[in-house]
Amino acid sequence: MYPGSHAAAHPDRPALIMAGSGDRLTYRELDDRSLRLANLLRCAGLAKGDVVALLADNSMHAYEVYWAAVRSGLYVCAVNSHLQVDEVAYIVGDSGASALVVSAALGELAADVASRVPEVRVRLAYGGAVRGYDDYQAGLAAASAEVPEVQPRGADLLYSSGTTGRPKGIKPGLPDRQVHEPGDTLVEILRTAFGFGEDTVYLSPAPVYHAAPLRYCASVHALGGTVVMMEHFDAEAALRAIERYRITHSQWVPTMFIRMLKLDPAIRGRYDLSSHRVAVHAAAPCPVDVKRAMIQWWGPILLEYYAATEGVGMTMIDSARWLEKPGSVGRAVLGEPRICDDEGRVLPAGEVGTIYFAREELRFEYLGDPVKTRSVQHPEHANWATVGDLGYLDEDGFLFLTDRKAFMIISGGVNIYPQEVENVLALHPAILDVAVFGVPDDEMGEAVKAVVQPAPDAVPGPALEREILGYVRDRLAHYKAPRSVDFVDELPRTPTGKLVKGKLKARYAHS
């Protein structure tokens, strides 16, 4: 299904409501605007398999762009709006985007990107004028509203880290069907396992450029429900939105739970949450004590899943089973998990190893990186894939995670890749050697830590720490920058020069 199906049956039903402003986009409007943009892109020469990049804030226009691409057989590449201009330009260029739609609210970032991607032939800006872009509203007003006979189903193309720290596009194969035809796996899982449907009012508090918010909101549209999108997350505002809009379903990361739990009890008790039936959470491991506290507060409505942007597989667990098996991320709902040792041998229940999911076929590739694509496949089973996480299955088939991707940092539900930060600092004149990794943080789950071996003529101390932090923030998104820097005489390395990062992480594990 897609918005056009629901526009015909329920034209005035809100497809999307902005939680703060209350602004609404009906299914009739979403269908019309996405259709006009699809026709604009088609007239500009975009064809099946081409890419539309989206640099957006949380706004209703994001889903006009999403559905314009998906009803045209195009890929939509949602770009993190907190990246620096060079990072954004890299993703837009690497994806091969033929069109770029930006929000004027992003100011100079949106303007500066245009000059770095001259190969993008369609550039549109909504919400105001932006240097280097045509007006989005004017473009839609001039475009045709005629429904084409053929509307092939598109897909998203999202970015994750590559082996060098550079982001890599995760490119699924395009479905061989029309946009109105059934067959979307996530939509069916949400309908059958999570209870999503036409009566769903779904609260989305996270940035729309992340995989889960982007895909789950689109799935709500496919089912004919209503998305309530927060402009940005705020703990009390989230509770207010649940009451105001009679939210039935929602999705969170553990950091959001922690911030809501830290609210004054009087504030927490102020809002009527009785409409709330399902609270989905994922993206990062949830501390057992935090999850217990949330179940005590909200009741047994928490549904946890484990998955990845690559879509290799998925597990799920409800509150009742989690209370029986605290810490588990559930049993399979997509693919079959296999735990393997370093040689690829399947391990018995209770033994820790790499988590693979067995599917009928590998359904994605890392754009422009066949080596990385092959690296996620099992050495003997081409249809088994992993994202590098470690865990074990118990005797009942419930999955438990014991570690995440090698040294990847998950802070507030966002993946941060140490190599990217280390690459930035490697040439800093005051740094001889550097290691970046995650350390425990009560609120964010993990915080970014840098450990530096200073150059012989450098003076370690607060002034150098401030210089290093500023250096990273000038070159990368601020959330990737270390929270703190420690100085050491020498970093642990093997005789061959390999950094023994595990030893460093162990020193900070309980700090």
Side-chain angles (χ1 to χ4, degrees), residues 108-120:
E108 287 302 308
L109 173 63
D112 290 345
V113 168
S115 63
R116 288 168 165 80
V117 289
E119 68 278 10
V120 177

Side-chain angles (χ1 to χ4, degrees), residues 194-197 199-203 226 228 237-252 270-280 297-302:
F194 289 25
F196 282 58
D199 65 340
T200 291
V201 183
Y202 174 73
L203 181 64
T226 296
V228 178
L239 301 179
R240 186 182 303 117
I242 294 173
E243 177 183 82
R244 178 181 178 186
Y245 297 106
R246 306 303 295 160
I247 297 299
T248 62
H249 295 69
S250 60
Q251 183 164 190
W252 316 85
R270 183 179 298 165
Y271 298 96
D272 177 6
L273 311 181
S274 60
S275 63
H276 204 187
R277 303 199 305 260
V278 177
V280 179
W297 177 16
W298 284 0
I301 68 170
L302 271 67

